[in-house]
Every structure is written in C-alpha cells, then in structure tokens.
Amino acid sequence: MNQQADVIIIGGGIHGASLAYHLTRMGVRPFILERHFTASGATGRSSGLVRMHYDLEPESRLAWASFAYFRNWADVVGGDCGFTRTGFLQFVEPAYSDQLRANVAMHQQIGIPSLLITPDDVARLAPSFVTDDFEVAAYEPESGYADPSATVTSFLAAARQSGATLVQECEVTAVLSTDSRVTGVRTSKGDFHAPIVVNAAGPWARRVGEMVGLDVPVDTWRHDTLFIRRPTAVGPSHPTVIDMANSMYFRPETGGLTLVGLEDNNPIGLSPDGDAEHAAPDFVDRAVDRICRRIPQMEEGSLHSAHSGFDGITPDQRAILGAAGPEGFYLACGFSGTGFKIGPAVGACMAELIVNGRAQTVDITPFSLDRFSSGQLLKGDHAYANVWH
Ligand SMILES: Cc1cc2nc3c(=O)[nH]c(=O)nc-3n(C[C@H](O)[C@H](O)[C@H](O)COP(=O)(O)OP(=O)(O)OC[C@H]3O[C@@H](n4cnc5c(N)ncnc54)[C@H](O)[C@@H]3O)c2cc1C
C-alpha cells in the first residue's frame, strides 16, 4: 500500500468521514485511519437528532448549513443518510421562556424554519403529550433525525470514489514530526506520511493530543439511551423533542419504537474504552419515569433495549476546531454529545481551513482551542443551563 497521503485523518466517525468527503471535493487525497471500524465510536451510538435549535449562534449556523445536506442527501452526497422528517419541538421550563423566544428570533434571522407555538398548538401536533408545564415551545417543522452509521457510510463511499483511502483496524500510536512540523503517524499497520494530521478521534481525542504534547481538554461523557415499544394509543409517530423541563430528549424510531435519552447523570471522565453495551442499572427506571411524565400512555409500552455510548466533552460543552500544536496538526473534536448533526458543515469548514487557510461555510474561529487558556468559554447570548448536568 502507498502510505503517502496529502492529509491523514485519525478517526472514522462522522467528523473524519465528512472531512474526508470535503477534502476530496477540493482535489485533496486523504487517508482515514480507524482503529476499529467506521462509526464504531460515538457516531455509531448517536441518537441522530437533526435540529437547529441551539442557544449559541455559530452552532445554529453549523446545524443549518448541515441541514442542507441531510434534506437533499441523495443529490448532494449520494447514498442515503436515513433522514426522517418528524418535526422538532423544544420545551423549556417557564423560567427560560424569554431565552427561548430570543433564540427562536436568532434562528429566524439565520433563515432557519423555526417558530414559537403555544401549548395548545403542541397538543394539536402531539395529542398524547402533557402540555401544562411550559408557556411556549419552539417548533422546527423540517427537522427530525438521521441514521449516523448510514451517514458515515455514504460520506466515505463518495470520498473513496474520489481518491480517499480508508484503513480500518489501524490504530495510530504516535504522531511523527520534525522541526515542530508533523510528517505522519505511526500505527499498528506501519508508518503513514503526510504534512497534515487531523485529530478526529472523538472521546479518544485527548490521548491523540498527547501524542504531540498538546493538552486537549476533552473528557469522556457516557450517555445511556433506550428504546420503548410504543403502545398504539400514542399513535403511529410523534415529533422529535428536547424536553428540558424533564431533562430528557426523545424521538420516534422505525418499528413503532421511541428512543429516550436523559440530560442528567451522564458520567464524565470514565475510560472511553469502557462498557458501552449496557446502560447504568437505574437508567431504565429513570428514563421510563420521565417519558411517562410527558406521555402518560407510555405506561402501556414495553422496553425494547437499552445501551450506552461515549463522546468527548469540553469544559463549555462545545467543539474544538482548528489548528493547534505543531504545524500541520488540526483538531476536530470535543463535540460534547451534540456533534452528529453538525458533521456535514464542520467537515466543509475544516477542509476549507486546511486547503484555503480559512473556513467560509461558517466562521469557526470561536471554536479554537485557545479559548480555554484565555478564559473565553463559549456561551449563548440567551443561554439555557448546560445541556448535560
Ligand atoms: C449515546 C449518544 C447519543 C448521541 N446523540 C446525538 C444526537 O442525537 N444528535 C447529535 O447531533 N449528536 C449526538 N451525539 C453526539 C455525536 O454522536 C458525536 O458528537 C459525534 O458522533 C462525534 O463524532 P466523531 O467523529 O468526533 O467521534 P467518533 O464517532 O467517536 O469517531 C472517532 C473515531 O476515532 C477512532 N479512534 C480513536 N482513537 C484512534 C486512534 N488512536 N487511531 C485510529 N482511530 C482512532 C475511534 O475508534 C472512533 O471510531 C450522541 C452521542 C452519543 C454517545
């Protein structure tokens, strides 16, 4: 195998795959080195919510630019990303109603189809929902969810057709450099050479950062999810929801299932190689209790399955994007439990940064690593409490 590349990407999750795809659109031939198989990390465990509602404008812009891919996937990328439009609702406690209004106004200025609706409107959209604990909701009629593994597969298929090389079962063990400039990587399959190396290693990003002596503040975040078989009383489907009032999100899944995740009690700092097959012992009870608060008929549902996953999380729960450390070394990591939906635009931005020196799709300078040393952590103008607590 020719082990000389233009760019080496460490990690075959959504961010490695999207970056590879976008580099090939610009005539660059990347190698994607993946220690297991594609989407074996956070991406393969992702709940796949696709919505634009954030309280930080640059994140909404990344999600909106990404949405152009999700809704036209076959024409833009080819293949299938499994995007399913369900409509998206954001509920917040009454204390955050003003923030919600301001954030929807910010989304509308960007051009995102988002509107404020009343509890009565919600009851018409989703008759099984309890609607007496919020004053106003945000509604994105176009949003929904996608299939993260299928998204990676089609990004990589398109990238490989245009000159990208994927090497699986290939663990990067060291980053090679001379005179403060990266020259390649050492792996379980030998050395690979390139003047540019990108750390897209998800919850393992801190370890990869250490390979160049860089302290990348990416901890691990463990997150459980479960699937419930919906009772017929709930109806054939329902919108996708972030329900901050109940510290929960949920969405429909094919086969009459509903996926539920919780925003609280997601342990930080465990090994990213830990058990992701089993949810924590008390998770099922807590999640069933929460979903039944919002949809009482779920009492008649039955548990289908539960599992866990790890993502990388940063101190302000926002990604780290940009050049850092030795010349030629880049970071696309720390996606903090919400990074799937912004994958397409982040890959476009990182490719533009690497090839042209600046991202044009969205300004990603706010996500630079040095915000942590300068104490300029990211916070929305109309911030909610941290999503994960
Ligand atoms: C349970 C769960 C639910 C989520 N739900 C949502 C959601 O609904 N919506 C949303 O937008 N986001 C969601 N997220 C977050 C989102 O899935 C992640 O932010 C995103 O998938 C991160 O992608 P990534 O490419 O950075 O990392 P990963 O998918 O983890 O990819 C990194 C890859 O790097 C590889 N790797 C690591 N070290 C090395 C090495 N040394 N050598 C070679 N390869 C290496 C790993 O094997 C891995 O495959 C969720 C995350 C989890 C865990």
Side-chain angles (χ1 to χ4, degrees):
M1 185 193 297
N2 172 10
Q3 304 205 133
Q4 176 70 46
D6 294 337
V7 174
I8 288 170
I9 301 168
I10 306 173
I14 180 64
H15 290 286
S18 174
L19 175 57
Y21 167 82
H22 286 95
L23 285 170
T24 58
R25 302 301 99 173
M26 299 172 88
V28 175
R29 297 160 86 86
F31 272 47
I32 308 106
L33 307 182
E34 165 53 52
R35 65 177 204 152
H36 288 321
F37 50 90
T38 60
S40 57
T43 304
R45 297 286 165 166
S46 181
S47 304
L49 270 66
V50 172
R51 44 91 191 179
M52 279 68 79
H53 194 104
Y54 279 93
D55 62 7
L56 186 74
E57 183 173 333
E59 286 186 306
S60 288
R61 287 189 181 279
L62 286 169
W64 178 229
S66 297
F67 191 66
Y69 293 70
F70 286 116
R71 70 173 162 194
N72 292 312
W73 196 267
D75 292 338
V76 178
V77 181
D80 187 6
C81 70
F83 177 69
T84 306
R85 180 184 162 195
T86 61
F88 167 79
L89 289 164
Q90 172 93 33
F91 302 149
V92 296
E93 303 96 308
Y96 286 105
S97 297
D98 286 345
Q99 286 87 331
L100 184 92
R101 290 187 185 95
N103 287 325
V104 168
M106 177 264 284
H107 301 149
Q108 290 173 343
Q109 268 201 327
I110 293 173
I112 294 168
S114 178
L115 56 153
L116 292 168
I117 63 173
T118 65
D120 285 348
D121 295 329
V122 173
R124 278 189 287 277
L125 281 169
S128 59
F129 287 10
V130 168
T131 55
D132 63 2
D133 58 345
F134 56 89
E135 294 171 348
V136 62
Y139 179 45
E140 294 177 4
E142 305 293 326
S143 299
Y145 66 91
D147 177 337
S149 297
T151 304
V152 166
T153 300
S154 52
F155 259 149
L156 287 176
R160 293 169 77 188
Q161 272 168 16
S162 304
T165 303
L166 169 67
V167 190
Q168 301 187 86
E169 301 293 337
C170 178
E171 177 160 13
V172 173
T173 53
V175 175
L176 309 173
S177 59
T178 354
D179 299 333
S180 300
R181 202 182 202 307
V182 300
T183 55
V185 295
R186 179 143 299 155
T187 81
S188 52
K189 289 189 172 172
D191 290 355
F192 292 76
H193 303 284
I196 291 166
V197 174
V198 183
N199 176 355
W204 295 268
R206 185 186 283 265
R207 286 187 198 165
V208 171
E210 283 165 4
M211 295 178 192
V212 295
L214 202 58
D215 180 21
V216 182
V218 172
D219 253 313
T220 59
W221 166 87
R222 185 181 191 272
H223 182 62
D224 298 334
T225 52
L226 60 71
F227 291 92
I228 293 178
R229 262 185 233 291
R230 271 195 310 277
T232 47
V234 177
S237 191
H238 56 73
T240 294
V241 179
I242 293 184
D243 184 348
M244 285 177 128
N246 284 311
S247 286
M248 163 182 71
Y249 66 86
F250 58 95
R251 69 158 173 85
E253 175 55 87
T254 49
L257 303 178
T258 290
L259 181 158
V260 184
L262 300 183
E263 293 172 349
D264 56 333
N265 278 18
N266 297 283
I268 300 216
L270 300 176
S271 164
D273 303 312
D275 175 24
E277 299 308 315
H278 304 94
D282 64 339
F283 169 72
V284 170
D285 282 348
R286 293 193 305 119
V288 168
D289 177 58
R290 303 278 177 89
I291 191 72
C292 290
R293 280 190 222 166
R294 181 60 66 204
I295 310 180
Q297 285 108 321
M298 282 289 193
E299 291 275 6
E300 306 302 322
S302 59
L303 180 67
H304 172 275
S305 56
H307 65 239
S308 194
F310 293 94
D311 197 7
I313 192 166
T314 69
D316 60 6
Q317 303 192 0
R318 323 278 182 181
I320 307 175
L321 306 174
E327 212 181 322
F329 192 72
Y330 290 82
L331 301 171
C333 56
F335 290 96
S336 304
T338 72
F340 167 68
K341 70 185 76 55
I342 59 172
V346 167
C349 290
M350 289 298 298
E352 291 159 1
L353 178 68
I354 289 166
V355 176
N356 300 327
R358 194 172 69 86
Q360 288 105 359
T361 299
V362 174
D363 176 13
I364 55 169
T365 52
F367 298 100
S368 68
L369 174 68
D370 58 20
R371 73 179 187 271
F372 298 104
S373 53
S374 63
Q376 290 173 315
L377 300 197
L378 291 173
K379 193 167 186 233
D381 287 341
H382 302 280
Y384 304 128
N386 271 346
V387 178
W388 313 115
H389 49 90

